[in-house]
Amino acid sequence: MTSTPPTPPTPPSVLVFAASDPSSGAGVQADLLTVASLGCHPLTAITALTVQDTVGVQSIQPVGAELLEQQARTVLEDMPVAAFKIGVLGSVENVLAVAEIVSDYPEIPLVFDPVLASGRGDELSGEEIIQAMREMLLPQTTIITPNAPEARRLAESDEDEGEPAIDVCAQRLIEMGAQYVLITGTHESTPEVINTLYGPDGVIRRDRWERLPGSYHGSGCTLASAIAACIAGGASVEEAVRDAQDYTWQSLKNGFRAGMGQFIPDRFFWARGEEDAEPAAEDKGDGQD
């Protein structure tokens, strides 16, 4: 008598709303690589098509909101989703479409990477899109992961006389509805990269990472997708932020220069003999500065 082999466990699924990047450095391709590397099953709803390489973005063409909605709702009706991750949306109509979709699934954690420009500075989200993000997506966001310039732009006020402090930006984003805010320091002129996680009561953790030489294509996509994958796997927000930062730093440390522009993070560094790599963060998980 033969026994039936056990059914393999189903990995948790992460549904990504993002634009396609032909170089696979950033965008939905970066999300796919990251989510899969961390043991989850990636699902996608393409928001826009881009023409870009490791140097910069040449053009972006949003997908129609109806087609975007059909992509997402088809997979949502077919299989359970453990986390949402949002990247470039491409148009106001797509912001509204995604906001309506995720509002039907309030129990699913939402990780929002508000990509406003490429690494070279090519604008990917105009003021109308940003305002729609503030009004429609932030109130539904579990954690938003802007870099410092993105945080300032999202949180700017007509009353500001200069650039608002990062702590002020985080508080404003929480007041707009985000449960947690992780502001990354990759664009700041500090010896180390300092990433700070905020909650309703202020700083939860502040992590310092060795600032690596060079410039990387898709580091923000990698971090946000890693957070989503960790949450999908059962981690708390704070645990997910801690582990995703370590994963992202290792992928950057092992990055490669495939083209003539920025380095591409190696999201599968662990499969190439780098298991002994040591994390470089000074863990401040107690919330102290």
Side-chain angles (χ1 to χ4, degrees):
M1 182 175 179
T2 60
S3 60
T4 303
T7 302
T10 301
S13 294
V14 176
L15 175 54
V16 175
F17 298 88
S20 174
D21 171 9
S23 78
S24 293
V28 73
Q29 288 88 342
D31 299 325
L32 287 167
L33 290 165
T34 301
V35 169
S37 178
L38 289 169
C40 294
H41 179 61
L43 310 172
T44 63
I46 305 297
T47 60
L49 302 177
T50 70
V51 177
Q52 65 176 298
D53 54 20
T54 60
V55 177
V57 179
Q58 297 180 34
S59 65
I60 178 169
Q61 179 62 51
V63 167
E66 183 178 353
L67 179 57
L68 170 58
E69 182 175 1
Q70 289 173 350
Q71 294 177 73
R73 291 201 183 277
T74 298
V75 294
L76 282 163
E77 290 169 7
D78 181 50
M79 59 189 83
V81 169
F84 291 127
K85 187 267 181 178
I86 297 175
V88 169
L89 293 173
S91 69
V92 172
E93 292 77 13
N94 284 354
V95 174
L96 300 180
V98 171
E100 183 175 352
I101 293 164
V102 299
S103 71
D104 291 337
Y105 300 87
E107 74 284 0
I108 298 178
L110 190 160
V111 180
F112 182 21
D113 178 22
V115 186
L116 306 186
S118 72
R120 187 176 66 176
D122 309 291
E123 185 166 288
L124 300 174
S125 300
E127 287 303 322
E128 290 185 358
I129 294 177
I130 292 172
Q131 187 58 35
M133 289 175 176
R134 294 185 187 112
E135 295 177 3
M136 305 303 296
L137 284 178
L138 274 173
Q140 303 187 70
T141 295
T142 305
I143 178 170
I144 186 170
T145 62
N147 57 39
E150 289 167 341
R152 291 187 177 102
R153 192 170 175 192
L154 283 165
E156 65 185 359
S157 167
D158 293 337
E159 299 177 359
D160 293 332
E161 295 182 358
E163 284 190 343
I166 290 300
D167 289 353
V168 172
C169 294
Q171 184 58 41
R172 288 178 182 175
L173 293 173
I174 288 172
E175 289 171 356
M176 292 178 194
Q179 295 178 37
Y180 297 90
V181 177
L182 175 65
I183 299 181
T184 62
T186 52
H187 288 65
E188 301 292 89
S189 56
T190 53
E192 297 173 300
V193 174
I194 303 173
N195 300 333
T196 308
L197 176 66
Y198 300 85
D201 297 323
V203 175
I204 295 175
R205 61 182 299 124
R206 182 168 281 137
D207 298 293
R208 292 171 169 84
W209 297 87
E210 177 189 346
R211 187 176 291 279
L212 298 167
S215 176
Y216 297 86
H217 185 44
S219 58
C221 302
T222 305
L223 177 60
S225 291
I227 293 172
C230 291
I231 290 175
S236 67
V237 169
E238 184 176 349
E239 292 168 340
V241 166
R242 178 197 65 204
D243 294 346
Q245 286 182 86
D246 179 52
Y247 169 85
T248 301
W249 189 87
Q250 298 289 359
S251 73
L252 299 181
K253 178 176 180 288
N254 292 280
F256 54 92
R257 196 169 187 226
M260 294 182 289
Q262 295 177 300
F263 285 81
I264 292 178
D266 184 358
R267 285 98 182 181
F268 281 88
F269 63 86
W270 52 264
R272 305 188 220 283
E274 294 293 335
E275 294 89 349
D276 58 346
E278 292 294 329
E282 178 185 346
D283 188 345
K284 294 286 187 178
D286 58 4
Q288 298 177 2
D289 291 355

